[in-house]
Amino acid sequence: MLRQWREADLAPFALLNADPEVMAYFPDTLDSQQSDAMARRCASLIEQRG
Protein backbone atom coordinates (compact mmCIF):
# COMPACT_ATOMS: atom_id res chain seq x y z
CA MET A 1 0.00 0.00 0.00
CA LEU A 2 1.28 3.42 -0.90
CA ARG A 3 0.76 6.57 1.10
CA GLN A 4 -0.51 9.66 -0.64
CA TRP A 5 1.97 12.26 -1.82
CA ARG A 6 2.75 15.14 0.51
CA GLU A 7 3.76 18.67 -0.41
CA ALA A 8 7.15 18.01 1.22
CA ASP A 9 7.76 15.19 -1.30
CA LEU A 10 7.78 17.49 -4.31
CA ALA A 11 11.17 19.19 -3.90
CA PRO A 12 13.18 15.99 -3.30
CA PHE A 13 11.30 14.27 -6.14
CA ALA A 14 12.18 17.18 -8.45
CA LEU A 15 15.85 16.85 -7.50
CA LEU A 16 15.79 13.16 -8.44
CA ASN A 17 14.02 13.86 -11.72
CA ALA A 18 16.54 16.59 -12.63
CA ASP A 19 19.55 14.30 -12.10
CA PRO A 20 20.89 12.90 -15.41
CA GLU A 21 22.30 9.82 -13.68
CA VAL A 22 18.96 8.99 -12.03
CA MET A 23 17.11 9.55 -15.30
CA ALA A 24 19.64 7.70 -17.47
CA TYR A 25 17.05 5.16 -18.69
CA PHE A 26 14.27 7.71 -19.21
CA PRO A 27 13.90 9.90 -22.31
CA ASP A 28 15.06 13.06 -20.51
CA THR A 29 15.35 14.80 -17.18
CA LEU A 30 12.37 16.74 -15.84
CA ASP A 31 12.21 20.33 -14.65
CA SER A 32 10.33 21.10 -11.45
CA GLN A 33 7.03 21.81 -13.24
CA GLN A 34 7.20 18.52 -15.12
CA SER A 35 8.15 16.69 -11.94
CA ASP A 36 5.25 18.24 -10.01
CA ALA A 37 2.88 17.24 -12.82
CA MET A 38 4.14 13.65 -12.62
CA ALA A 39 3.66 13.66 -8.85
CA ARG A 40 0.08 14.90 -9.33
CA ARG A 41 -0.57 12.09 -11.82
CA CYS A 42 0.82 9.57 -9.32
CA ALA A 43 -1.31 11.07 -6.54
CA SER A 44 -4.37 10.73 -8.75
CA LEU A 45 -3.60 7.07 -9.43
CA ILE A 46 -3.10 6.37 -5.72
CA GLU A 47 -6.43 8.06 -5.00
CA GLN A 48 -8.18 5.98 -7.69
CA ARG A 49 -6.53 2.64 -7.03
CA GLY A 50 -5.21 2.81 -3.51
Side-chain angles (χ1 to χ4, degrees), residues 15 18 20 31 48:
L15 288 174
D31 64 28
Q48 291 172 20

Side-chain angles (χ1 to χ4, degrees), residues 6-47:
R6 298 176 185 149
E7 190 69 28
D9 297 328
L10 297 179
F13 188 58
L15 288 174
L16 286 172
N17 288 325
D19 186 319
E21 190 172 341
V22 172
M23 299 297 282
Y25 299 101
F26 290 85
D28 205 356
T29 57
L30 303 178
D31 64 28
S32 62
Q33 284 184 315
Q34 293 168 317
S35 181
D36 289 353
M38 180 186 288
R40 284 192 297 275
R41 286 191 303 273
C42 292
S44 176
L45 290 170
I46 293 169
E47 187 175 313

